[in-house]
Amino acid sequence: MPTKTKLTPREKIKLRLRKKIIGTPEIPRLAIFRSLSNVYAQLVDDINGKTLCSVSSLVKGDAAGKISKTDKSKLVGKKIAEKAAEKNISKVVFDRNGYLYHGRVKAIADAAREAGLKF
C-alpha cells in the first residue's frame, strides 16, 4: 500500500494554480523556479509538452558574487523576453509556481514586461 506524502504549502498553491493555468503554442506558460542562489525561467507549451526556451541566472567566474539575487532576476526576465521575441511570442501566461509574487519573482515579471512581454 503506497504511503501518503504531505505536500508543502508551496506545492499545494502550485497545484491550485496549475488547474487554471495552461500554456499553448501561441500563448505559452512562463514558469519560474527559484533556488537558493539562482533563478530559472522557461516558456512551456503544455499542449505538446515542450519547453520552447529557457533562461537561468547561472553565472560562472567573478561576476557571480558581485550581483544581487534580485538583479540576477531582472536579467533573467529581460533575457526570457528577448528569446520570446526571437520566436515571435508576445503574450504569455505567468506561472509563479507557488511562490509569492514578491521579490525575485516580481523582478522577473516586471523586467519581462518592460522588455515587451504581455501578461
Side-chain angles (χ1 to χ4, degrees), residues 2-18:
T3 59
K4 290 186 179 180
T5 59
K6 189 170 181 180
L7 295 176
T8 63
R10 185 181 83 82
E11 289 170 334
K12 287 181 184 178
I13 295 168
K14 180 179 175 177
L15 291 173
R16 190 167 58 229
L17 287 172
R18 288 287 287 122

Side-chain angles (χ1 to χ4, degrees), residues 12-100:
K12 287 181 184 178
I13 295 168
K14 180 179 175 177
L15 291 173
R16 190 167 58 229
L17 287 172
R18 288 287 287 122
K19 284 192 278 187
K20 303 171 193 168
I21 296 174
I22 188 165
T24 63
E26 298 81 30
I27 304 174
R29 176 170 56 96
L30 174 58
I32 304 299
F33 177 73
R34 235 180 42 183
S35 72
L36 192 61
S37 57
N38 289 299
V39 145
Y40 307 85
Q42 60 183 356
L43 294 177
V44 181
D45 171 13
D46 290 317
I47 293 175
N48 297 322
K50 291 188 176 183
T51 299
L52 304 175
C53 63
S54 64
V55 175
S56 73
S57 65
L58 293 171
V59 179
K60 293 184 179 181
D62 295 334
K66 296 180 181 178
I67 188 168
S68 70
K69 291 189 263 187
T70 307
D71 291 336
K72 283 183 187 179
S73 299
K74 289 177 186 175
L75 292 173
V76 167
K78 198 179 293 185
K79 284 182 196 173
I80 197 75
E82 290 169 3
K83 282 195 170 186
E86 289 174 10
K87 295 185 178 271
N88 297 325
I89 297 169
S90 60
K91 286 180 118 180
V92 296
V93 179
F94 189 68
D95 178 12
R96 58 188 174 91
N97 216 356
Y99 300 109
L100 294 177

